């Protein structure tokens, strides 16, 4: 069985995730990376979009998960994205999700906090 990888890098969304009240009130930007290991089926041979995982639809699923329900932990957010993608398409054998939060409410200087979650279908 052949597989290939589809990657969506640095998808940006505005949402209200976080454990603190000001995060729920004000919201902030979140950046998401998606790596999907996909079962090839006929896509590598027939050049037909219907044979692959449509990454435009995958993006819409990520957006829906990120923006519809608030979560305290970015770990939970990453897991929910991975599970939603694997549930949507049986061709996705594995989804690895990274969630970056640049506006971290801690007394320190850093670019972002990041969590990575891997889910197998």
């Amino acid at each position: 069985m052949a597989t290939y990888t589809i990657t969506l890098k640095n998808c940006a969304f505005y949402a209200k995730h976080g454990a603190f009240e000001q995060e729920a009130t004000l919201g902030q930007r979140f950046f998401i990376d998606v790596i999907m290991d996909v079962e090839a089926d006929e896509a590598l041979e027939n050049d037909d979009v219907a044979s692959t995982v449509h990454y435009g639809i995958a993006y819409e699923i990520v957006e829906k998960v990120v923006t519809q329900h608030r979560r305290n932990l970015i770990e939970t957010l990453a897991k929910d994205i991975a599970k939603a993608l694997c549930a949507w398409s049986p061709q996705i054998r594995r989804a690895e999700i990274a969630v970056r939060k640049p506006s971290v409410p801690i007394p320190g200087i850093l670019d972002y906090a990041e969590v990575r979650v891997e889910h197998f279908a």
Side-chain angles (χ1 to χ4, degrees), residues 68-89:
Q68 280 196 342
H69 299 289
R70 185 181 177 286
R71 292 155 185 91
N72 289 323
L73 302 176
I74 59 175
E75 293 90 327
T76 306
L77 177 60
K79 176 208 47 121
D80 289 348
I81 294 167
K83 287 178 70 175
L85 288 168
C86 288
W88 162 62
S89 174

Side-chain angles (χ1 to χ4, degrees), residues 27-82:
Q28 59 188 296
R29 294 173 301 148
F30 292 87
F31 298 95
I32 314 291
D33 294 340
V34 176
I35 300 171
M36 298 173 286
D37 291 341
V38 177
E39 191 175 306
D41 282 343
E42 300 296 318
L44 299 178
E45 300 299 325
N46 69 11
D47 195 34
D48 181 6
V49 70
S51 300
T52 189
V53 170
H54 190 302
Y55 50 80
I57 297 172
Y59 179 92
E60 291 172 359
I61 291 168
V62 174
E63 180 177 38
K64 182 177 179 182
V65 172
V66 172
T67 60
Q68 280 196 342
H69 299 289
R70 185 181 177 286
R71 292 155 185 91
N72 289 323
L73 302 176
I74 59 175
E75 293 90 327
T76 306
L77 177 60
K79 176 208 47 121
D80 289 348
I81 294 167

